[in-house]
Amino acid sequence: LVELRLVGCLGLVEGPAYGFPPQLTTLSLEGCASLRCISSLVRECSNLTRLLIPKTVAKDEDMSVISRECPRLEIVDVSSCSLLTNDGIAALLLNLQSLRQLLADDLGGLSDLLFHDNPRLESIKQTLNLDRVHLSGAFRVGDRLLEWLVGMAGLSSLHIDGNRSISREGLHKSLKVLQASAFLPSSMKSFSACDVDILRQHRLEEGEAFLRWISLRHGPTLTSL
């Protein structure tokens, strides 16, 4: 068994005492909102590459254990995990060198204080292999985190829809960084932080120009715009 999905099992409070099979590469516990101590269930799953635990009660302590016990993780989904804060996300970013996709939509505990508490994040930015980051609905994400993300080489998908903490100046600066970036034409396929609603809200002429500029390079592939 290499893939196990237990989606929406609301009656699942505890997993098997012996944990899950060590050969698992994909584990989905989405919506298992009653499941306690998720990290204890994956202690022997060192081969996991995909862990999908949105809408669960995963905590920061779980992320620390998971990032240590599952070093091969490439895709982690912690969307709508209301107990997660900056510390949990920092544990994933700092310890999972193979992480490619971080899906953390509707994460109210994530904010720009992530960098204040974890200054090492700045120095490792260019060593990260992230190509997809989704933070839609993470309403406390501000200019500092957006700036850090758009400066990451290799990022191909960035979603920060529904965010109203990013200022006009912060969005303007990030758009300039993206326009000047050499990697953008070949790798940036989706940048929905610059969705039309946000651009209209800030009335950024630069943003409208950016949309026209990027659409000329990718055309209809940028459906998120």
Side-chain angles (χ1 to χ4, degrees), residues 28-100:
S28 177
L29 300 171
E30 179 179 355
C32 295
S34 302
L35 186 60
R36 298 193 296 261
C37 199
I38 290 176
S39 58
S40 66
L41 303 177
V42 298
R43 287 185 182 275
E44 302 299 325
C45 299
S46 60
N47 292 308
L48 271 183
T49 59
R50 294 166 55 95
L51 180 61
L52 313 175
I53 52 174
K55 301 177 183 177
T56 65
V57 291
K59 302 181 292 295
D60 292 338
E61 294 81 0
D62 292 316
M63 298 303 103
S64 297
V65 174
I66 287 169
S67 64
R68 183 176 66 249
E69 300 294 334
C70 307
R72 294 182 174 87
L73 278 173
E74 298 178 7
I75 300 173
V76 176
D77 188 348
V78 290
S79 300
S80 300
C81 290
S82 60
L83 298 182
L84 279 186
T85 71
N86 290 328
D87 290 340
I89 297 301
L92 297 175
L93 293 173
L94 290 170
N95 300 320
L96 291 176
Q97 297 180 354
S98 58
L99 188 63
R100 294 188 300 103

Side-chain angles (χ1 to χ4, degrees), residues 1-6 20-27 47-48:
L1 183 66
V2 296
E3 180 175 344
L4 179 61
R5 297 182 182 271
L6 298 170
F20 290 117
Q23 69 270 25
L24 278 181
T25 59
T26 297
L27 175 62
N47 292 308
L48 271 183

Side-chain angles (χ1 to χ4, degrees), residues 198-216:
I198 290 180
L199 292 172
R200 286 175 178 165
Q201 174 196 358
H202 291 292
R203 297 176 181 172
L204 285 179
E205 293 181 3
E206 298 88 347
E208 298 289 353
F210 173 81
L211 287 177
R212 292 193 297 272
W213 174 82
I214 196 172
S215 65
L216 288 174

Side-chain angles (χ1 to χ4, degrees), residues 165-186:
S165 297
I166 297 172
S167 69
R168 172 191 173 93
E169 294 74 19
L171 185 56
H172 182 190
K173 184 176 181 180
S174 295
L175 291 174
K176 289 294 186 182
V177 169
L178 285 173
Q179 275 190 292
S181 175
F183 74 83
L184 181 60
S186 62

Side-chain angles (χ1 to χ4, degrees), residues 134-194:
H134 287 189
L135 300 173
S136 297
F139 59 90
R140 296 174 62 202
V141 170
D143 296 348
R144 181 68 185 87
L145 185 50
L146 178 60
E147 179 185 357
W148 186 77
L149 288 168
V150 299
M152 188 179 298
L155 192 66
S156 64
S157 179
L158 174 59
H159 291 192
I160 318 182
D161 313 73
N163 183 292
R164 295 298 181 264
S165 297
I166 297 172
S167 69
R168 172 191 173 93
E169 294 74 19
L171 185 56
H172 182 190
K173 184 176 181 180
S174 295
L175 291 174
K176 289 294 186 182
V177 169
L178 285 173
Q179 275 190 292
S181 175
F183 74 83
L184 181 60
S186 62
S187 67
M188 181 63 79
K189 305 299 184 186
S190 174
F191 182 58
S192 65
C194 297

